[in-house]
Amino acid sequence: MLLNMNPLGPNLAFVWDVIALVLTFVVIQTLVLVNGFLQKREILPTYITRKVIHMFAAPLYVICWMLFSGEAASRYLAMVVPLAFIGQFAAIGLGMRKDEAFVNSMSRTGNPRELLAGTMHYAIVMLVCTILFFETAVPNTTPNPAALLILGALAGGDGLADIIGRRYGAGRTFGPAGSQKSVPGSIAMFVGAAGMSLILVAIFSINTNLSVGMVLLPTLLLSLFATIVEAFSPKGLDNYAIALAVVVGIVILSLVGMWPFAPLWTL
């Protein structure tokens, strides 16, 4: 067992979970600060730094679940991280506090109010996944990997789609006006969603009885479904659309016997 340990013993599980919470904040905040530095020094353009955070914040956060002891308080302490970011996005977006580096690394135009849209939606999906699926990190079990596939598609798929679409998608767009997607971007969405999801499953397989082979076909099917839904989702709602697509896809796979885990409605 690599992670999900409590070196302080069961009597101090809460203390260890507070330490795990601090470590999680350090990991995510380091990602934000590094991207802010790269953007400020113009080493990378804003649209790249924004999507780097998009691609890695949720995966790093869910990997940090493995740091917690798994006791009753673990889920609630883990929830503090996305709740804190939701509060931070709201405070900055509503003008109650200023953080230029934070805004520049997470918004397209430098307008703080952008944090109230897609960026906040992203954090809300992280929060909901924590509420519903935190047990994914319990060692020596075969957990339901729904959170890994939801966040994998949201982070890896949507993040890579924007980068590739901007670079190679000019003149090859489709979809509803105002929210058009490109063929290269949609291909990147599928590759990024499947790739990040399988990477997360592989990491969690260190601690649990999950394996990439168990989820390979479901992941490919769910990534394809999420790609189709994302391509036609309304502007500004793609984070929710991708997450819901994966959830609906898992329900469908469960009904046809292609989801080798407990159906979501039984959790």
Side-chain angles (χ1 to χ4, degrees):
M1 182 168 60
L2 180 65
L3 296 176
N4 197 250
M5 57 183 178
N6 174 16
L8 302 182
N11 292 332
L12 293 175
F14 182 82
V15 175
W16 174 252
D17 282 341
V18 172
I19 294 172
L21 171 62
V22 172
L23 291 173
T24 304
F25 267 118
V26 169
V27 169
I28 304 301
Q29 197 64 36
T30 298
L31 176 67
V32 174
L33 292 175
V34 169
N35 274 275
F37 173 82
L38 294 175
Q39 193 278 334
K40 187 174 182 179
R41 294 296 182 91
E42 298 183 348
I43 298 173
L44 292 174
T46 298
Y47 83 92
I48 293 289
T49 59
R50 180 175 179 271
K51 286 303 176 179
V52 167
I53 291 178
H54 190 100
M55 290 177 67
F56 293 105
L60 287 173
Y61 167 68
V62 76
I63 290 170
C64 285
W65 286 0
M66 300 168 73
L67 289 170
F68 290 83
S69 70
E71 298 295 331
S74 298
R75 180 197 310 272
Y76 303 103
L77 286 170
M79 286 167 52
V80 171
V81 176
L83 281 170
F85 278 101
I86 290 169
Q88 190 172 14
F89 297 151
I92 296 173
L94 294 173
M96 293 185 287
R97 58 163 295 195
K98 294 184 178 180
D99 191 326
E100 183 179 349
F102 199 85
V103 172
N104 288 338
S105 65
M106 290 196 177
S107 67
R108 289 186 176 91
T109 65
N111 184 346
R113 293 195 67 83
E114 283 189 38
L115 299 182
L116 301 176
T119 306
M120 181 175 285
H121 301 164
Y122 182 94
I124 291 172
V125 173
M126 288 169 57
L127 175 62
V128 173
C129 282
T130 309
I131 294 170
L132 297 178
F133 304 115
F134 183 78
E135 288 84 357
T136 304
V138 175
N140 303 318
T141 64
T142 304
N144 193 311
L148 308 184
L149 305 192
I150 292 169
L151 295 177
L154 178 62
D158 193 34
L160 191 62
D162 187 70
I163 294 173
I164 298 300
R166 286 174 181 267
R167 180 68 177 84
Y168 300 105
R172 288 174 283 182
T173 59
F174 64 92
S179 184
Q180 290 185 321
K181 304 298 190 296
S182 69
V183 172
S186 289
I187 293 173
M189 167 71 197
F190 172 76
V191 172
M196 184 63 78
S197 297
L198 293 174
I199 287 172
L200 288 174
V201 170
I203 291 172
F204 273 74
S205 70
I206 296 171
N207 232 31
T208 69
N209 297 328
L210 284 176
S211 71
V212 171
M214 294 170 66
V215 299
L216 180 57
L217 180 58
T219 297
L220 295 177
L221 293 174
L222 292 169
S223 297
L224 178 60
F225 185 46
T227 297
I228 295 170
V229 171
E230 190 270 346
F232 296 96
S233 63
K235 184 176 181 180
L237 296 179
D238 52 343
N239 287 326
Y240 292 135
I242 291 168
L244 287 173
V246 176
V247 170
V248 172
I250 290 174
V251 171
I252 294 172
L253 292 181
S254 297
L255 291 173
V256 299
M258 295 182 65
W259 180 247
F261 307 96
L264 297 186
W265 58 83
T266 67
L267 300 180

